[in-house]
Amino acid sequence: MDAIDVIRAKRDGAELTPAQIDWAVDAYTRGAIAEEQMSALAMAILLNGMTRPEVARWTEAMIRSGERMDWSALSRPTADKHSTGGVGDKITLPLAPLVAACGAAVPQLSGRGLGHTGGTLDKLESIPGWRASLSNEEMLDVLRSTGAVICAAGAGLAPADRKLYALRDVTGTVESIPLIASSIMSKKIAEGTGSLVLDVKVGSGAFMKTPEKARELAETMVAIGSDHGLRTVALLTAMDRPLGNAVGNALEVTESVEVLAGGGPSDVVELTLTLAREMLAAAGISGKDPADALRDGSAMDVWRRMIAAQGGDPDAPLPTANETHQVFAPSSGTLTRLDAFGVGVAAWRLGAGRARKEDPVSFGAGITCHARPGDEVKEGQPLLTLHADDPSRFDRALESLEGAYEVEASGAPDLLPLVIDRIA
Amino acid sequence: MDAIDVIRAKRDGAELTPAQIDWAVDAYTRGAIAEEQMSALAMAILLNGMTRPEVARWTEAMIRSGERMDWSALSRPTADKHSTGGVGDKITLPLAPLVAACGAAVPQLSGRGLGHTGGTLDKLESIPGWRASLSNEEMLDVLRSTGAVICAAGAGLAPADRKLYALRDVTGTVESIPLIASSIMSKKIAEGTGSLVLDVKVGSGAFMKTPEKARELAETMVAIGSDHGLRTVALLTAMDRPLGNAVGNALEVTESVEVLAGGGPSDVVELTLTLAREMLAAAGISGKDPADALRDGSAMDVWRRMIAAQGGDPDAPLPTANETHQVFAPSSGTLTRLDAFGVGVAAWRLGAGRARKEDPVSFGAGITCHARPGDEVKEGQPLLTLHADDPSRFDRALESLEGAYEVEASGAPDLLPLVIDRIA
């Protein structure tokens, strides 16, 4: 087989054969297809699409490029959740211990921040001592002893995806639904979970800006899951405004702990409980109300043990930023808009995210929202607090907030429902 | 500016701005855009196209990536010809000295064989001693003393195109009309010719398989030429069957010398004269009939001096292949088909072309055609002679000839006219 033949076939609108897909993914992983050849193929896939059998096979080939994890030694059913990423989306933090407290095992492989969206591992690393990298044996130990583990994917898991993702990131080929879906699903299937709940974000702060695009992605992923015998459910959820009040690494850990303590912003609580119920149902666990596990402290218990098992001190004070800057309401009225993308970019510019992959993040940086869309505000009251280690970052962050919020004398916000749709 | 922004713009169907094009071509030449980024951009251009202003600017940017040659020191008007490549297309060999014999200066930068199509430089290198690489000063000397020069383009000419061409070759992005047109025209404009005649080949043995595609390419190139103030004419000519009887490096030199001696196959003579008349008209030279220059030996004279000026011995015997193999007519009747692509691939497999860029060619390898489409043939008469240094090559060459020719009891061949159309 020849790289150019495969590229030409997809370029000219043909369906790739299973043999072509298997060869292309394997040859790329081995280095027999060059980076510049794979990027041309990725662009052809982005522009000409892939059929359902092509996506299924591409995913399968990426899974087979590495190891496949196996949790059959555990006595509990496994459940996992994946979010396509958003602003203030800290849901994994309270969700994993909550679902474990209700009886499932949650082997949650997570990622780092990408552009204006935060990463679960960056958030947890703001906890002093906490380690994201675990061996497979350590992962199993933590799962066994606490019921939940949140860690980085090892290098052995879908190495084809790891290589391809880095390439897509620099070649304008990220925004392909078949490539996004196969990237996510190859890791989740190789991770060996028995059931999967997908949280597909919709809106300005998400990769999918419209419900239509999000639905297409969700349907593609659910199809891949069922083609691989994985119980998969997807929810389409709102990312037109930030989730919760805190955006930034340590700020989001604090808010997550509030949820585990039975408090926290209502949207974070509601989405956590909704996803927990979906995960328990997908794992075949019935008769448990996760709201009880928040109330009775059992979810908090799992959280504390899980953090400690990965070297973290759940009682240590979290890093805070050196400087803050307030944004005040320009007039009295209703906050009719608080744009997720604008807030996300501002938090990123404050240091919560990375400009380059190798940059460190600032744990304390970010934004606290003092009002949510729909709230009445008074002229001069604080709307947002910006946190940064370096005060020179405030100017550019404020630029991204220009036009990102609006206070109107009368009127109501035009918001997406928190849960827009469910695809199973 | 950022490579990903430019890739995304073209990917999403936007027209690139002049600033984006200038930056992309320059950054790629400098290495600031990586190979894998340019290949994604090339695929997006191939699939989404470029507008006339984009193609003109892209060409301009490639010209400006290097030097621009200047022939204003010559007393004669300059004329050049470019063929998009075919099987048995040796026209440049008799044409350049013929047009020089009629009063133009012909600074002909040529290339090497690509896939199943031959390369002018490979053909001329079969002449003992002949050198393809000349400095700009040597080029000017040969032009001054003989009126014509055929040589390789120097590294200083459109380096952006050189780099991009090598990339397109391995990434399935050759077949883009805007990229083909800008590649050809950037070199021809940088070469500094005052007029240009394009021979756009059509048919199985050409890159453009249909007159429609060939016309699109021809119109794009003529538009670029006139946008740059270069008098440009394009002919669409037949490449459904081989041109002439000889296919292969030294074999084609021999046939070219026959034409310069006043003989040779009628189609080679006719196309040579047609292109010569176009070149003379484009160069503003009137009152000369190139047929006279073939008859009176003046074209042959220029040929001999031109070959000698580049170190070649025009009287030296040419290399011949070690082995031959005959293909006989399977029945009596009319040869209704002799497919250019089949013959081209067979000659390539016999050693006339290269499998890899760095491979040498065999000068003696190739095919001699003893009958042409339309000729009556008798069962058992030789149709083709295959020439190769290594007899183990005959089998694979014969495979490519299967179905490439047909002898029918009655019927006439369905051929393209030698000159299909003229675009000015």
Side-chain angles (χ1 to χ4, degrees):
Chain A
M1 210 156 313
D2 181 282
I4 301 178
D5 291 340
V6 178
I7 297 168
R8 280 185 178 149
K10 181 43 69 186
R11 178 194 79 187
D12 297 341
E15 186 175 42
L16 298 180
T17 65
Q20 284 178 317
I21 291 172
D22 291 353
W23 180 81
V25 171
D26 178 59
Y28 177 59
T29 312
R30 286 185 286 112
I33 288 183
E35 296 288 350
E36 58 267 29
Q37 294 177 317
M38 186 50 93
S39 71
L41 180 57
M43 182 58 82
I45 290 171
L46 187 147
L47 289 170
N48 287 339
M50 285 213 274
T51 62
R52 177 167 172 173
E54 281 180 297
V55 178
R57 191 76 181 206
W58 187 275
T59 307
E60 179 65 29
M62 294 219 292
I63 295 167
R64 275 183 307 172
S65 71
E67 64 174 324
R68 207 160 161 165
M69 299 177 86
D70 179 9
W71 307 112
S72 56
L74 292 171
S75 54
R76 302 168 170 207
T78 49
D80 192 9
K81 166 247 169 186
H82 178 83
S83 160
T84 59
V87 176
D89 181 7
K90 71 280 295 173
I91 301 289
T92 295
L93 278 58
L95 180 65
L98 172 59
V99 172
C102 295
V106 186
Q108 176 83 47
L109 297 182
S110 293
R112 298 193 180 275
L114 191 67
H116 70 280
T117 65
T120 297
L121 301 181
D122 295 328
K123 295 170 194 178
L124 286 170
E125 281 178 343
S126 68
I127 301 172
W130 188 87
R131 280 191 304 125
S133 292
L134 302 183
S135 68
N136 292 359
E137 293 67 35
E138 287 175 312
M139 241 187 116
L140 188 62
D141 284 348
V142 179
L143 261 183
R144 271 211 173 104
S145 61
T146 74
V149 64
I150 304 175
C151 62
L157 213 71
D161 175 66
R162 185 178 300 259
K163 198 173 168 190
L164 181 56
Y165 193 88
L167 177 67
R168 286 166 55 213
D169 195 34
V170 298
T171 56
T173 51
V174 168
E175 295 88 341
S176 155
I177 285 180
L179 293 178
I180 295 171
S182 56
S183 170
I184 293 171
M185 295 303 290
S186 64
K187 278 175 294 194
K188 289 296 166 184
I189 295 168
E191 176 200 284
T193 185
S195 61
L196 178 62
V197 175
L198 297 161
D199 182 7
V200 180
K201 298 290 184 198
V202 184
S204 73
F207 289 105
M208 302 289 131
K209 306 297 180 194
T210 65
E212 292 67 38
K213 279 279 163 200
R215 187 168 291 114
E216 194 186 334
L217 175 60
E219 285 169 353
T220 305
M221 292 195 289
V222 169
I224 295 172
S226 48
D227 286 350
H228 282 85
L230 175 63
R231 285 186 304 280
T232 310
V233 174
L235 299 184
L236 269 48
T237 73
M239 188 35 68
D240 50 347
R241 70 281 187 180
L243 195 51
N245 301 327
V247 179
N249 301 300
L251 295 170
E252 295 190 42
V253 172
T254 302
E255 190 167 273
S256 301
V257 172
E258 285 166 22
V259 171
L260 288 161
S266 61
D267 59 342
V268 178
V269 175
E270 184 186 336
L271 188 57
T272 303
L273 289 174
T274 304
L275 289 167
R277 290 182 183 118
E278 290 286 357
M279 287 171 75
L280 293 170
I285 295 172
S286 58
K288 291 271 185 181
D289 184 359
D292 293 339
L294 288 183
R295 261 191 300 269
D296 67 16
S298 57
M300 177 69 95
D301 226 52
V302 176
W303 162 264
R304 294 176 58 84
R305 286 190 286 124
M306 175 185 84
I307 295 299
Q310 293 181 233
D313 176 357
D315 295 315
L318 295 175
T320 52
N322 298 331
E323 308 277 342
T324 60
H325 178 95
Q326 303 273 14
V327 174
F328 301 101
S331 60
S332 294
T334 306
L335 180 66
T336 52
R337 213 157 58 81
L338 182 60
D339 180 62
F341 182 71
V343 173
V345 172
W348 176 54
R349 288 182 169 174
L350 290 169
R354 300 174 171 79
R356 281 183 259 179
K357 247 182 298 205
E358 54 281 7
D359 290 348
V361 300
S362 161
F363 292 125
I367 294 177
T368 316
C369 308
H370 303 295
R372 305 192 45 76
D375 286 357
E376 293 300 310
V377 296
K378 285 230 162 60
E379 183 179 338
Q381 87 166 61
L383 275 188
L384 306 168
T385 301
L386 279 52
H387 309 253
D389 290 328
D390 171 0
S392 73
R393 288 177 176 264
F394 289 130
D395 279 352
R396 291 212 62 211
L398 288 167
E399 268 174 41
S400 353
L401 289 171
E402 268 171 38
Y405 57 93
E406 197 163 6
V407 176
E408 294 180 272
S410 65
D414 178 24
L415 295 176
L416 289 169
L418 183 61
V419 177
I420 300 159
D421 204 353
R422 177 180 192 276
I423 289 149
Chain B
M1 209 153 319
D2 181 280
I4 300 178
D5 291 340
V6 178
I7 297 168
R8 280 185 177 150
K10 180 46 68 184
R11 179 195 79 187
D12 297 341
E15 185 175 42
L16 298 180
T17 65
Q20 284 178 316
I21 290 172
D22 292 352
W23 179 81
V25 172
D26 178 58
Y28 177 58
T29 312
R30 287 187 284 111
I33 288 183
E35 296 288 349
E36 58 268 30
Q37 294 177 317
M38 186 49 93
S39 70
L41 181 58
M43 182 58 83
I45 289 172
L46 188 148
L47 289 170
N48 288 339
M50 285 212 275
T51 63
R52 178 167 172 171
E54 281 179 296
V55 179
R57 191 76 181 206
W58 188 275
T59 307
E60 179 66 31
M62 294 219 290
I63 295 167
R64 275 183 307 172
S65 72
E67 63 174 328
R68 206 160 161 166
M69 299 177 85
D70 179 8
W71 307 112
S72 57
L74 293 171
S75 53
R76 300 169 171 206
T78 47
D80 192 9
K81 167 249 174 186
H82 179 84
S83 160
T84 58
V87 176
D89 182 6
K90 71 280 293 173
I91 301 289
T92 295
L93 277 60
L95 181 64
L98 174 58
V99 173
C102 296
V106 186
Q108 177 83 47
L109 297 183
S110 293
R112 299 192 180 276
L114 191 66
H116 70 280
T117 66
T120 297
L121 301 181
D122 295 329
K123 294 170 194 178
L124 287 169
E125 281 178 342
S126 68
I127 301 172
W130 188 85
R131 279 190 304 123
S133 292
L134 302 182
S135 68
N136 291 0
E137 292 67 36
E138 288 175 311
M139 242 188 114
L140 189 61
D141 284 347
V142 179
L143 260 184
R144 272 211 172 106
S145 62
T146 74
V149 64
I150 304 175
C151 63
L157 214 72
D161 175 66
R162 184 177 301 259
K163 199 173 167 191
L164 181 57
Y165 194 88
L167 177 67
R168 287 166 54 212
D169 194 34
V170 298
T171 55
T173 51
V174 168
E175 295 88 342
S176 154
I177 284 181
L179 292 178
I180 295 171
S182 57
S183 170
I184 293 170
M185 295 303 290
S186 65
K187 277 176 294 193
K188 289 296 167 183
I189 295 167
E191 176 202 285
T193 185
S195 61
L196 178 63
V197 176
L198 298 161
D199 183 6
V200 180
K201 298 291 184 196
V202 184
S204 73
F207 288 104
M208 301 290 131
K209 306 297 181 195
T210 64
E212 294 64 42
K213 278 280 163 197
R215 186 168 291 115
E216 194 186 335
L217 174 61
E219 284 169 353
T220 305
M221 292 194 290
V222 169
I224 296 172
S226 49
D227 287 350
H228 282 86
L230 174 62
R231 283 185 305 281
T232 311
V233 174
L235 298 185
L236 268 49
T237 72
M239 188 35 67
D240 49 349
R241 70 280 188 181
L243 195 50
N245 301 327
V247 179
N249 301 301
L251 295 170
E252 294 191 40
V253 172
T254 301
E255 190 168 274
S256 301
V257 172
E258 284 165 22
V259 171
L260 287 162
S266 60
D267 60 341
V268 179
V269 175
E270 184 186 335
L271 188 55
T272 302
L273 290 173
T274 304
L275 289 166
R277 290 184 183 116
E278 290 286 358
M279 287 171 76
L280 293 170
I285 295 172
S286 57
K288 290 270 185 180
D289 183 359
D292 293 338
L294 288 184
R295 261 192 301 270
D296 66 17
S298 57
M300 176 70 96
D301 226 54
V302 177
W303 162 264
R304 294 175 58 85
R305 286 189 286 126
M306 177 185 83
I307 294 300
Q310 291 180 237
D313 176 357
D315 296 315
L318 296 175
T320 52
N322 298 330
E323 308 276 343
T324 60
H325 179 97
Q326 303 274 14
V327 174
F328 302 102
S331 58
S332 294
T334 307
L335 180 66
T336 52
R337 213 157 57 81
L338 182 61
D339 180 60
F341 182 70
V343 173
V345 172
W348 176 55
R349 289 182 168 175
L350 289 169
R354 301 175 170 78
R356 282 184 256 178
K357 246 181 298 203
E358 52 281 8
D359 291 348
V361 299
S362 161
F363 292 126
I367 294 177
T368 315
C369 308
H370 304 295
R372 306 192 45 76
D375 287 357
E376 293 300 309
V377 297
K378 286 228 163 63
E379 183 178 339
Q381 86 165 63
L383 274 188
L384 306 168
T385 301
L386 279 51
H387 308 255
D389 290 328
D390 171 0
S392 74
R393 288 178 175 264
F394 288 130
D395 279 353
R396 290 214 63 211
L398 289 168
E399 267 175 39
S400 352
L401 289 170
E402 269 170 37
Y405 58 92
E406 197 164 7
V407 176
E408 293 181 273
S410 65
D414 178 24
L415 296 175
L416 290 168
L418 184 62
V419 177
I420 299 159
D421 205 353
R422 178 180 190 276
I423 288 150

